[in-house]
Amino acid sequence: MSTEAGCPVTFDARRFTASAARAYNRRNTKFSVLFIDLYNAALTTAVVLALSGSTVYAVREQLVEAAATERQSPVDERWAVIPPVVLLAACVMGGLLALLVFARRLGPVSVGRVESQWWLPLPVARRPLVAAPFAKRVVLLAGAATLAYALFSVLTLLEAPVLGHAAGAIVFGLLAAAAMLLAAAVQVDNERRRRTALTIIVLLLAAMLPLAAASGFLWPIAPAVIIAVGTWWYVSQRISSIPAAELTRGGAVAGHARSAAFLMNTNELVQALGAGTGTEPASAGRCTTRLLAARPRSAAGSLLQADVAAFLRVRRWWLPLLLWLLPPIAVLLAQLAIPTFLQLGVLLLAAGGAASSAGTVARRTAVVPGLDKLLPLGKATVASVRMAMPAVALMAWMATLTAILALFGVADWQLVLPGAIAGAGLAGSTLRSAYRPVPDWSQPPVETPFGPMPRTQLSALTSGVDVLVTSMVPLLLAVYLGQVTTLLLVIQVAASAVAWIAGMMSLSRGR
């Protein structure tokens, strides 16, 4: 059946599905339950907005006060070479590229499991069935991006007018929608490499528009609208040509990510977002081939050999570690008077991101914990071997970061030693996060300002983060003081040892 012949059938199928869903919801939903759900949703939204607004206001006051008095930073004054505008431009470019990448991973044009089994195999036109949900996602993304940029602009451009913040937020929201539409254009076009390069160039050039709008000019809204409308027209005219396999793949990844977010399982969320997009094993290089060809002398050596080979075969495993070096360096070198506690917080977040990037293999092995029990090794030995390669990578990453901090005048070169020791502690957090205990959802929830929260899920969410903070606190204190004392070095060794022991004990927890 042709597309024109399939249009009436498509309209009937869509109208029947929508009417049947509305009728089912009316029959099975009571007014009292609906009222309570709406009230809880409105109350939760109000609380989140109030807390977010108060936090942003408090941080802005701290920034204004720091700018009025003196620069509070552990870095020497002569290294403050990044203007706030350049910092905001880099964040805009990174945000748009991140939206493009994640939109490509999630589809963005996709269908769920029910739709793929119900109407996708039918000889009907697909455009009326996939265009409406896709347009809804684009609008929601644009709204969320507008709000996020407004908050970040208020904290970065302290002297910009209110009209500049509003215009920049609108422009960024339109560009975020364009990024999602460009990701859909990659789905449509068969020449994906060429199309991906073109979309990246367009986004990088358009990233200057929010900065121009920050001065109070309204003209950048026009080109942003043209880009968004042009990409929507291009995608909407060709949305029916997206293969069914691509629609089903996007729906499966999006469904997996939604389920992981609903269950607050961060490991599953990372695996869902990384499915088939660069975390798959790469072709074995010469070093990996030689490593696999070597004959191990013991069971522990065989496991270590397999883990090292698996780590090296992760495609572009070094790229996330390099990228996580940029945020702390950019914050420390910014001309903006950022309070010291915020700079230390960025250092902690960067360490957490690097630890998560180094724990890819650990998360994969944690999916099938029964394999560890088949090994002729003790749990402590298995855990130590699992942490060996992440420890080497994170020690090198932390040594590089602390060497850069020492170069910028944060402390002397003795800071590299506690940094490398802290990297060994971060390896314990990677394994502890990967082998998180499965929460017991049968336990009653705890009431919080954000709604009911399962008790066991709270402990599962903090598993790994607690060890991460423990191993980083002595180093952050050394950065704050600007010197490395013998007492801080001893505390750092003890904290990393505790983190390593906690990682070894993770294999014994309810798996």
Side-chain angles (χ1 to χ4, degrees):
M1 184 180 295
S2 62
T3 303
E4 292 77 13
C7 288
V9 179
T10 302
F11 177 77
D12 292 339
R14 180 183 178 186
R15 184 173 59 181
F16 168 76
T17 304
S19 61
R22 286 193 298 268
Y24 177 82
N25 291 332
R26 284 195 298 266
R27 289 194 306 267
N28 294 274
T29 303
K30 296 181 180 180
F31 177 77
S32 58
V33 176
L34 180 62
F35 177 79
I36 293 174
D37 291 342
L38 292 177
Y39 174 78
N40 290 332
L43 182 61
T44 303
T45 303
V47 171
V48 171
L49 291 178
L51 292 177
S52 302
S54 61
T55 302
V56 171
Y57 179 78
V59 173
R60 180 180 172 84
E61 290 297 320
Q62 291 284 340
L63 294 176
V64 173
E65 182 181 356
T69 55
E70 61 181 2
R71 174 179 167 86
Q72 298 179 358
S73 176
V75 178
D76 292 342
E77 184 71 23
R78 60 190 178 92
W79 291 105
V81 295
I82 301 179
V85 177
V86 177
L87 181 62
L88 182 61
C91 293
V92 169
M93 292 181 184
L96 292 177
L97 291 178
L99 288 176
L100 176 65
V101 171
F102 284 109
R104 181 66 189 93
R105 292 180 180 185
L106 295 175
V109 184
S110 59
V111 295
R113 182 178 180 182
V114 177
E115 290 84 355
S116 63
Q117 296 180 354
W118 160 225
W119 58 260
L120 190 60
L122 299 178
V124 297
R126 297 173 182 172
R127 183 180 183 277
L129 294 165
V130 299
F134 174 62
K136 182 179 178 181
R137 289 193 290 267
V138 171
V139 172
L140 291 177
L141 176 64
T146 300
L147 181 59
Y149 179 88
L151 297 177
F152 192 79
S153 178
V154 167
L155 296 177
T156 306
L157 304 177
L158 300 178
E159 299 179 357
V162 177
L163 182 61
H165 294 308
I170 294 174
V171 172
F172 184 77
L174 293 172
L175 294 180
M180 189 172 185
L181 292 169
L182 289 173
V186 176
Q187 282 186 291
V188 173
D189 200 328
N190 292 327
E191 299 178 0
R192 294 183 177 179
R193 293 185 178 180
R194 180 181 177 184
R195 182 64 58 184
T196 302
L198 180 60
T199 55
I200 292 176
I201 294 174
V202 171
L203 287 180
L204 292 180
L205 295 177
M208 299 295 105
L209 295 177
L211 301 179
S215 301
F217 299 107
L218 298 180
W219 65 264
I221 299 179
V225 171
I226 293 175
I227 294 174
V229 173
T231 51
W232 169 255
W233 177 84
Y234 177 85
V235 172
S236 62
Q237 297 297 321
R238 297 166 176 82
I239 200 171
S240 299
S241 61
I242 299 178
E246 177 65 22
L247 295 175
T248 305
R249 183 205 65 82
V253 174
H256 189 186
R258 284 195 299 267
S259 301
F262 179 77
L263 297 175
M264 291 175 288
N265 192 330
T266 56
N267 290 336
E268 288 292 334
L269 182 60
V270 172
Q271 291 178 5
L273 295 179
T277 54
T279 58
E280 68 274 7
S283 58
R286 294 182 179 179
C287 296
T288 307
T289 304
R290 293 177 181 176
L291 182 64
L292 292 175
R295 183 177 180 180
R297 298 182 179 180
S298 61
S302 176
L303 180 60
L304 178 61
Q305 178 180 335
D307 268 18
V308 172
F311 187 87
L312 295 178
R313 291 192 64 185
V314 175
R315 184 167 309 209
R316 294 185 296 272
W317 60 268
W318 47 267
L319 182 59
L321 295 176
L322 291 180
L323 292 179
W324 279 113
L325 287 174
L326 299 180
I329 296 175
V331 170
L332 291 173
L333 301 186
Q335 294 180 357
L336 187 64
I338 302 177
T340 306
F341 74 92
L342 288 180
Q343 296 176 341
L344 297 180
V346 174
L347 290 175
L348 182 61
L349 291 177
S356 178
S357 301
T360 303
V361 177
R363 285 191 295 269
R364 291 178 179 177
T365 56
V367 175
V368 190
L371 294 179
D372 294 334
K373 299 179 180 180
L374 300 178
L375 298 174
L377 297 170
K379 294 181 179 179
T381 304
V382 173
S384 299
V385 173
R386 297 287 189 203
M387 288 186 289
M389 191 59 193
V392 173
L394 291 173
M395 288 177 69
W397 186 86
M398 288 297 300
T400 304
L401 178 60
T402 51
I404 295 175
L405 296 181
L407 179 64
F408 292 154
V410 173
D412 53 18
W413 291 97
Q414 295 179 357
L415 187 66
V416 178
L417 180 58
I421 298 174
L426 294 180
S429 69
T430 61
L431 198 68
R432 184 174 173 85
S433 299
Y435 286 84
R436 286 175 175 171
V438 179
D440 185 7
W441 289 90
S442 63
Q443 297 295 326
V446 178
E447 293 295 335
T448 65
F450 302 98
M453 184 74 67
R455 294 180 178 178
T456 56
Q457 192 65 30
L458 287 173
S459 61
L461 285 175
T462 57
S463 180
V465 180
D466 50 357
V467 175
L468 172 71
V469 175
T470 301
S471 58
M472 285 294 296
V473 164
L475 179 64
L476 295 178
L477 187 57
V479 173
Y480 178 77
L481 297 177
Q483 60 180 346
V484 179
T485 62
T486 305
L487 179 61
L488 282 178
L489 186 59
V490 173
I491 295 176
Q492 182 64 72
V493 173
S496 298
V498 170
W500 192 276
I501 294 174
M504 294 172 58
M505 295 176 61
S506 62
L507 293 179
S508 302
R509 299 181 304 181
R511 300 291 301 185

